[in-house]
Structure formats: structure tokens, C-alpha cells
Amino acid sequence: MEDSPFIFELAGGTAGSVVASRLSENSQHNVLLLEAGPNNEGILELIVPGLHIQIPNTYDWNYTTVPQAMVNNRSFDYRRGFVLGGSSSVNSMLYTRGSKDDYDLWGRVSGDPKTWSWEALQKWILKSEKWTGPVGGRDPTGQYDPQYHGTDGPIRVSLTGSGPDDFDRRASRNTELQKEFVEKLDSNDGSPPGLCAYTIFLPDENIEKAFLKAWIQWTFGGGERNSAATGYLGSRTRARPNLSIVLNVHVKKVIPSTQDGKGSLEMRTVEIGSKSSNLTLRVTARKEAILSAGAFGTPHILLNSGIGEESHLNSVGVKTVHNLPDVGRGMSDHVSAIVTYTSNATTPAVDEEAALRQWQTNRTGPFAEWRQVGRRILWSKIPKSSPILSEYGDPASGPNSPHLEIPLGPAGPTMAVSVVLLTPYSRGTVKLASSNPFDDPLIDPGYLSHPFDIQALKEGIRVTKRWFDSPAWDGLITGFLGPDPDNATLSETVFQNALKESVGSFLHPVGTAAMSASSSAAGVVDHELKVKGVHGLRVVDASAIPYVPTAHTQAAVYVLAERAADIIESSWK
């Protein structure tokens, strides 16, 4: 299969689906998309938002982390989509872009702010999105700001068809009673904490304690999940004669292709196979290969290809082709802790058979949304006066970036509230377990390995306590079950153990093949997402994002991929 397509994509995940779709819009390009998993089409659980938690493990890589030393040696199951569309086909569907400072940081790290910055990326931010009204015709006025949303893109973004309910109304009332909290129209405007837009409404002494609450936006529309596969690889796109999609094939590694006559390393040939067969094929692209296997898959393939730290490759018996030490390093991820309340609320019973019939009839009802999550998010900054910032420094990308995310609701007799650290100092790794490319990688997120992180989670618990310590919740919230950092009867050790037992991942890994300036010895890819020291190979996925954004990562991946597609297109004109 030598000299086959013009360009091929290695993995049809979130970013890979975008790039394959955009490049094949040009009939002069021939694109081959290789995907390890099966097709997404016709799978009910991948279509119905309300069946999210019932998605079979068949569509999951079923990864497990190594034991986490600082989290009581617990290991964590780590969901990643094993299906066309990747994790966008199985994720929780929340659409949050993060702050403008997150994207400006890409520009500083890459040395190319003209390409990578909030302002420079506006075209591509809007290009991916198609704002869609809630199902059932509910009026969303006052719950989002249309000026910050695209209307012609492939990915439908919407609000829930249900609500607001009593919990939502109490949340709004709370922003009137507690002046440190602000109700914001749209957190996707680039400044989630609301410091810039809302400072004039806050008392001077509370400015550095500004928090906001906003309505959650979701990647569903018309009652159906909208993934990269459904949005970018619909039937019309798949019918293009210049786009070929091959499913159920594993990319084992990338291997050196022909030399360019200058002694440079050129890698645009891939070796593919499957666990069930000994058959191996090699495919060579005429122009370039684009690796889009995600924050775990991409470093795994690079390391199996002999691209990585030489000592690590030697330790597992992989011959070094190119010594690039940062492959698999620098992983950052959002870690969360759970605090629990009791309340007088009841969880409404749902007749699932009736709900499914309603969804099948008109795409409305309980299954048209993910009902296990509420409709609001509280974004928070740790106050500048906090001792942990003076001791460790501020890890946020800038003044617009929140440190914490606290999804709110729904309420039930026992209400578990996630406190999510958006700006961790802890870093992790992805390494090879062996020289067998079919063995799972060793995933070590390094949760709580930096002392800042557990102190920041404590601050997040205190924010949560203040939020619910308000007359707005009278008659609903009846008690706080902890863990409580301010309980004088608990030792610090007892509190931390309780917190660690509640800790989990928010499944937002990035940075394992990070973007950096061309002149920097650090990082894996340059500002054009080309693998450093290699010709013919790029990385376009979450692994290239240098630091985890203050958001759920799928929106940032869509932006990265849209911009990358134009960069690649321009490079071959």
C-alpha cells in the first residue's frame, strides 16, 4: 500500500474527525482515516444523551491508571472513547471553552501568538459550533449570550430542554443574597470568573473573591448527542470519494520513510495491525501523517515508534529512532473531590421505558439530556490573599482563569458536589509497559503529587460551604456531611485521608506531546504541530495542548483541530 493517500489521519477521535473532514473538503486532497475502534452509527447509547452512563465498555479503551501514591495508592478507571469520534462519542457532553488566558498561554508557550491566542482563534472557535435551541421550544433568553456562539458549524451546542426548577431558582436567588457570587450570562465569553465584566457590581473588598454561576452548555442538539463523528463525519462527508475511513485497525507505530536527501528523519509510514490477527500492513502517505490518537494514544504510538526518551525506550526494548525526552511527560489533568450534603429534595422517578418511547417519538423528555447533572456551574478563583498562592505561586494562566469548578445540582436526599481543581501543579506521565504495541500504556496522572493541589481543593470546599450557607437554601439543604477542612475535631491527617478517598479524575488529560516554541528543547511539537526533529509527522489532539485549560477539554480540542486543519491546508498550497 505504498504511496497511497495524500494525507492520512492516525485515529478518528475528536481531533482526527475534524481534520479528516476539513482536509477532504478540498477535492485535491486524498485522506485516509484509520480508527482502532468500530463505527459509531446506529448505536443507541451513543445517540441518546440520557443513556450516557449506559454506554457499553465495548466503546471504551478500558484504561486503568497505575496506583496513585498520594491518593492512598488507589488506581482509577479512565474512560477514553474506543469508537469513531473518540471520547466525544462517550463523554459527558459539557461544552466549556475555558478562559481567554488559556489560549493566550498557547501563544506564549509556542512562541506564535499570531496563530495561538484567544483573539487569533476567534474564527475557528465559532467555526466549529452550531448553536441550537433547547428541545421542546423552551425560551433560553437570559441563559446564554448569542454574540459568543457560532451558528453554521458542525457541532451543535445547546441548553437543556428542562428547567429552571426550584434548585435553579434558589441558585439565582443566592447571587442576590451573597455579593461574592455573581450570576453571569455566558461563561464561554473568555472570562469565566467574571472579574472583568462584573467588577463594577462588587464591593471593593470582595473583588478578589469574585465567583460566578452560569448555565451549562452541552454538545447535543435536537435531542441527540453531537460528537465529532456525527458532526464532522456525517453521511455526506463519508460519501466523499477522496475520504476513506478504515475501522478496527490499530496503528502499531510510525516508521522511517524515504530520506529527503538531506539526512533528515522522515516519518510518514505507519504499521497497522490488529490483536486478533498476525497480519501487519504498512501504509505510506505522499505528504504527511497526522497523529490524533489522544493524550494517551499519541505518546503510546510515538514511544512504540522509537520517538521518546532514550533511557525509557531502552528499558522496554524499543530501539530509539529519535531521542525526544518530553514524549509522554507533562500530563496535566483535572482532579476532583466530593463533598456531601443532605437535603429535603427527592429524586424524581423516571419511567425509563416511557422516556425512551418519548425520545424515539419526538426526541424530547428526560432522555433528551443527561439528567444526572444539574444545569449550573460555579466557577471560582482562589483569593489573591490566600496563603497558598503566596507560598506556591499562582498556577492559573491569567486573571480570567478560574482555579475551581463546582457543578451544581441536581439535589436529592443525599447531594454529592464535585469540587474540581482546574489549575493543578501536579504532573503525570504516559510510558510503555513493554515493547508490545498492543499492551496498554502505563498511565500515571500523578494526582496530588504537588502539595498545592490538596490545599487548593480545601479552598474549593470552603467556597462550596459558603455557597450553601445562605438563606436561599433554607428548607432544602439540611446538613453538611464533609469532609470538612474547618472541623477542629478532625486532625489534618484524618481530613486528608477522607478527602483522598473521595478524589477522582474529571478525565481531561492533555500535554503528553506538548506544543512549544521551535527553538525550545522542551516539548514535542512546534507551533505548527510538527513533531520536532521529524519530517512528515504532526500531532493534532489534546496531547499537544501544553496545559490543561480551565474547562472541559472537548471545546479546546475542536478549536485546536480546526486551526490545525487550516495550517495543514495552507502548508500544501
Side-chain angles (χ1 to χ4, degrees):
M1 295 180 68
E2 287 288 322
D3 197 35
S4 55
F6 174 90
I7 291 173
F8 55 70
E9 283 283 333
L10 313 185
T14 306
S17 300
V18 175
V19 178
S21 176
R22 291 304 189 191
L23 292 180
S24 63
E25 289 176 348
N26 185 338
S27 62
Q28 300 302 307
H29 301 337
N30 291 309
V31 179
L32 172 63
L33 180 64
L34 303 173
E35 167 56 41
N39 194 4
N40 68 296
E41 293 182 317
I43 310 301
L44 190 67
E45 294 88 348
L46 303 184
I47 302 170
V48 183
L51 296 181
H52 162 70
I53 61 174
Q54 299 179 31
I55 294 174
N57 287 341
T58 309
Y59 305 104
D60 188 353
W61 281 93
N62 296 307
Y63 288 134
T64 302
T65 71
V66 302
Q68 295 298 284
M70 299 304 295
V71 193
N72 297 342
N73 285 318
R74 294 164 56 211
S75 295
F76 297 86
D77 294 335
Y78 212 113
R79 168 165 280 198
R80 295 286 88 187
F82 182 72
V83 62
L84 196 64
S87 292
S88 71
S89 292
V90 303
N91 66 10
S92 300
M93 298 169 284
L94 277 74
Y95 181 80
T96 59
R97 295 175 184 154
S99 83
K100 62 178 67 175
D101 298 326
D102 294 330
Y103 297 88
D104 290 345
L105 180 61
W106 297 7
R108 295 196 300 274
V109 169
S110 69
D112 185 10
K114 291 184 179 179
T115 298
W116 305 107
S117 68
W118 176 257
E119 292 302 324
L121 288 167
Q122 282 304 300
K123 170 184 173 181
W124 293 274
I125 289 172
L126 299 180
K127 186 178 182 180
S128 68
E129 182 189 3
K130 182 179 180 64
W131 181 265
T132 307
V135 296
R138 182 176 71 81
D139 183 6
T141 301
Q143 297 171 10
Y144 83 108
D145 192 336
Q147 69 174 309
Y148 297 112
H149 294 278
T151 57
D152 298 316
I155 299 300
R156 290 179 294 178
V157 176
S158 189
L159 298 169
T160 60
S162 64
D165 60 12
D166 177 63
F167 187 93
D168 297 319
R169 286 186 286 271
R170 288 174 181 267
S172 294
R173 173 62 176 158
N174 197 34
T175 60
E176 299 171 3
L177 298 175
Q178 292 186 297
K179 297 304 181 183
E180 67 176 309
F181 299 106
V182 176
E183 178 138 43
K184 187 171 185 181
L185 185 56
D186 199 314
S187 62
N188 278 326
D189 66 354
S191 56
L195 294 180
C196 295
Y198 287 91
T199 295
I200 58 173
F201 299 115
L202 298 172
D204 290 346
E205 64 271 18
N206 284 334
I207 286 177
E208 70 172 19
K209 295 194 297 181
F211 307 92
L212 75 85
K213 174 178 57 61
W215 288 82
I216 299 174
Q217 297 167 15
W218 309 80
T219 50
F220 51 54
E224 297 184 1
R225 172 192 288 272
N226 208 207
S227 68
T230 60
Y232 284 91
L233 297 175
S235 57
R236 290 186 179 180
T237 301
R238 297 187 194 202
R240 292 172 184 164
N242 63 329
L243 173 63
S244 300
I245 301 174
V246 179
L247 303 170
N248 303 302
V249 293
H250 286 249
V251 174
K252 298 168 65 177
K253 58 184 176 180
V254 188
I255 60 177
S257 308
T258 57
Q259 297 293 317
D260 64 359
K262 300 179 182 179
S264 298
L265 180 62
E266 189 163 1
M267 300 188 75
R268 48 186 175 83
T269 296
V270 297
E271 196 169 89
I272 60 176
S274 70
K275 289 184 178 181
S276 60
S277 171
N278 292 325
L279 180 65
T280 295
L281 296 175
R282 289 184 175 182
V283 187
T284 300
R286 293 177 190 157
K287 295 296 183 183
E288 65 178 87
I290 303 160
L291 186 53
S292 300
F296 300 151
T298 285
H300 191 225
I301 293 172
L302 288 173
L303 291 168
N304 276 304
S305 306
I307 302 174
E309 183 183 37
E310 187 170 11
S311 62
H312 171 55
L313 297 175
N314 289 341
S315 72
V316 293
V318 172
K319 180 182 177 181
T320 301
V321 173
H322 177 47
N323 184 31
L324 194 58
D326 278 349
V327 173
R329 292 180 177 175
M331 171 184 165
S332 57
D333 188 15
H334 294 151
V335 66
S336 68
I338 301 293
V339 293
T340 309
Y341 286 84
T342 57
S343 84
N344 286 326
T346 57
T347 303
V350 174
D351 183 332
E352 295 200 356
E353 291 185 2
L356 184 57
R357 287 195 300 270
Q358 180 179 353
W359 181 87
Q360 291 170 329
T361 300
N362 56 21
R363 298 300 194 264
T364 64
F367 277 3
E369 59 192 66
W370 186 27
R371 64 189 186 280
Q372 288 82 8
V373 173
R375 285 175 284 267
R376 304 293 190 98
I377 291 178
L378 183 66
W379 307 94
S380 165
K381 285 192 74 71
I382 295 171
K384 292 180 182 178
S385 57
S386 171
I388 68 171
L389 296 184
S390 58
E391 181 175 0
Y392 299 111
D394 189 345
S397 57
N400 297 287
S401 294
H403 297 99
L404 301 156
E405 172 191 342
I406 305 167
L408 300 172
T414 300
M415 184 174 68
V417 181
S418 294
V419 178
V420 187
L421 177 58
L422 300 174
T423 57
Y425 268 127
S426 298
R427 295 291 181 265
T429 60
V430 175
K431 294 183 178 181
L432 295 180
S434 73
S435 60
N436 183 349
F438 293 116
D439 285 348
D440 287 347
L442 298 176
I443 301 167
D444 181 3
Y447 294 138
L448 305 187
S449 56
H450 192 286
F452 170 87
D453 291 6
I454 199 164
Q455 298 302 320
L457 286 173
K458 289 171 67 175
E459 290 296 316
I461 294 173
R462 291 181 174 117
V463 172
T464 308
K465 288 172 60 181
R466 292 201 300 275
W467 169 259
F468 285 113
D469 185 19
S470 163
W473 306 104
D474 287 352
L476 182 66
I477 304 298
T478 57
F480 176 58
L481 301 181
D484 188 353
D486 304 312
N487 185 341
T489 66
L490 294 181
S491 69
E492 181 66 13
T493 299
V494 170
F495 164 76
Q496 287 200 16
N497 281 335
L499 183 143
K500 290 174 181 178
E501 285 302 313
S502 80
V503 159
S505 171
F506 248 46
L507 309 179
H508 296 154
V510 304
T512 50
M515 176 167 45
S516 62
S518 301
S519 59
S520 174
V524 175
V525 299
D526 66 13
H527 65 110
E528 293 184 321
L529 305 177
K530 296 177 180 178
V531 176
K532 292 185 173 185
V534 174
H535 292 280
L537 182 62
R538 292 188 214 239
V539 171
V540 182
D541 60 31
S543 70
I545 296 175
Y547 300 99
V548 67
T550 53
H552 297 241
T553 46
Q554 72 161 333
V557 172
Y558 283 131
V559 174
L560 177 91
E562 284 279 15
R563 188 66 185 96
D566 273 9
I567 291 171
I568 297 165
E569 173 74 22
S570 298
S571 70
W572 294 112
K573 284 184 178 179

